[in-house]
Amino acid sequence: MDANKRKKILDTVAKLRVTDIRDGMDWVGLHHVGTVDPEIRPLYRTKAAGFAQTYKHIPTQIRVPELSPADYTKWAYEYWYGQLWNMGDFREQVGEGDFLVIDTLGQKTPAIGSMDSMVWAARGVKGVLTNGGARDTDEQLYQKAMPCWHRWVVQPMYQGRVEFGEPNSTVEIGGATVRPGDLVVADGDGAIVVPQDVIDDVLYYAKQESENDRYDRSMLFEALGIAPDESTQSMFPDMPPHPYRKQREDFMKRLGKK
């Protein structure tokens, strides 16, 4: 997918909610596909979308040797991070519009911390989705550099626990299969993964249902005396009218309003 196509998709998704994307998935028959388990939640209330770049935390079989603190520093940075956690070409391939998806294989290890969240953000990464943890969360909540959907808040570093592994592979996050290039959309309602080959169809029906919802909300806001906001405004005026769009007069009568 070229950069212009990716940008067009992300511009569209920026006007939609996770629930709209869920509706779009239902409309193309993928009722049991894509939704990430609700126990995987945002570190802070926000919204993000991007294209999946995947890797795994591989539980290590290597025992940590008995070392002095000074030697341990050398071992950790030169051996573990220099060899076993060497991302190599993967780090360079990740960039603008991507969404990191990290399977920690049940390990309570950090998929994102305060430092790497800023590094990835500087490269244009839009978010992180993981079945593992986030650490340095006080700093992350201050920085808000990288939206993160995670299972746990954790403490440890990687050395002695996990090795970097299987970049660009299929992973499973909270019951959802994620392949490189799939569209990840996440907000306060959790995360959803759209397979790359159905993105266009899913977005069409997500827009259809979103426009209908906004139309209904505008009438409900009026009936309840709530000041209109962005959620009542059309985002896709070129969409055809919904096949089951309510007639205003009948809907207001149903609400007891004239």
Side-chain angles (χ1 to χ4, degrees):
M1 188 184 299
D2 65 33
N4 288 335
K5 175 72 170 177
R6 282 164 56 106
K7 183 179 185 305
K8 183 178 179 182
I9 288 170
L10 294 183
D11 287 346
T12 297
V13 170
K15 301 173 185 176
L16 295 166
R17 305 166 298 181
V18 162
T19 49
D20 299 321
I21 304 298
R22 179 65 267 164
D23 292 345
M25 294 278 277
D26 288 359
W27 253 250
V28 301
L30 299 177
H31 294 72
H32 304 291
V33 174
T35 294
V36 175
D37 192 293
E39 73 175 354
I40 294 177
R41 302 295 299 162
L43 181 59
Y44 54 91
R45 196 89 179 186
T46 187
K47 177 181 179 179
F51 296 92
Q53 294 270 14
T54 66
Y55 68 90
K56 297 178 182 179
H57 288 190
I58 308 298
T60 192
Q61 300 299 310
I62 296 172
R63 295 183 61 130
V64 179
E66 292 187 14
L67 299 166
S68 69
D71 287 339
Y72 180 81
T73 300
K74 178 181 176 66
W75 177 87
Y77 283 93
E78 293 187 12
Y79 174 62
W80 206 276
Y81 292 106
Q83 298 180 39
L84 302 183
W85 197 267
N86 186 347
M87 289 187 164
D89 294 339
F90 180 79
R91 190 184 298 277
E92 299 307 314
Q93 82 181 37
V94 177
E96 184 63 39
D98 287 332
F99 211 108
L100 284 180
V101 180
I102 305 163
D103 183 356
T104 69
L105 300 176
Q107 305 303 298
K108 293 182 174 66
T109 45
I112 195 74
S114 61
M115 294 294 290
D116 51 353
S117 69
M118 291 187 287
V119 171
W120 290 122
R123 293 191 63 88
V125 172
K126 300 304 181 184
V128 170
L129 173 65
T130 182
N131 50 16
R135 82 170 224 164
D136 313 321
T137 54
D138 289 342
E139 289 81 4
Q140 286 200 62
L141 287 169
Y142 171 73
Q143 297 159 193
K144 293 188 175 178
M146 181 58 61
C148 171
W149 284 258
H150 67 296
R151 176 172 280 134
W152 302 299
V153 172
V154 298
Q155 300 170 358
M157 296 173 73
Y158 302 138
Q159 72 271 14
R161 297 178 178 89
V162 290
E163 303 170 27
F164 176 78
E166 298 187 34
N168 309 307
S169 60
T170 298
V171 299
E172 181 270 319
I173 306 291
T177 299
V178 190
R179 297 175 178 86
D182 286 349
L183 176 64
V184 181
V185 186
D187 63 16
D189 289 332
I192 190 166
V193 181
V194 183
Q196 188 171 356
D197 60 346
V198 296
I199 290 173
D200 289 342
D201 289 340
V202 167
L203 292 187
Y204 180 87
Y205 290 104
K207 291 188 292 183
Q208 171 184 279
E209 296 308 302
S210 173
E211 287 293 281
N212 196 46
D213 182 75
R214 289 169 178 273
Y215 174 74
D216 288 352
R217 284 177 65 81
S218 68
M219 292 188 288
L220 287 164
F221 271 43
E222 179 184 342
L224 294 172
I226 303 172
D229 68 356
E230 186 180 274
S231 73
T232 66
Q233 300 169 9
S234 171
M235 293 287 106
F236 306 101
D238 293 337
M239 285 294 294
H242 195 280
Y244 292 90
R245 182 171 177 164
K246 298 177 181 66
Q247 296 298 314
R248 185 180 186 282
E249 182 178 346
D250 294 339
F251 191 54
M252 296 303 277
K253 186 183 294 185
R254 174 182 162 191
L255 297 173
K257 306 292 180 181
K258 294 183 179 180

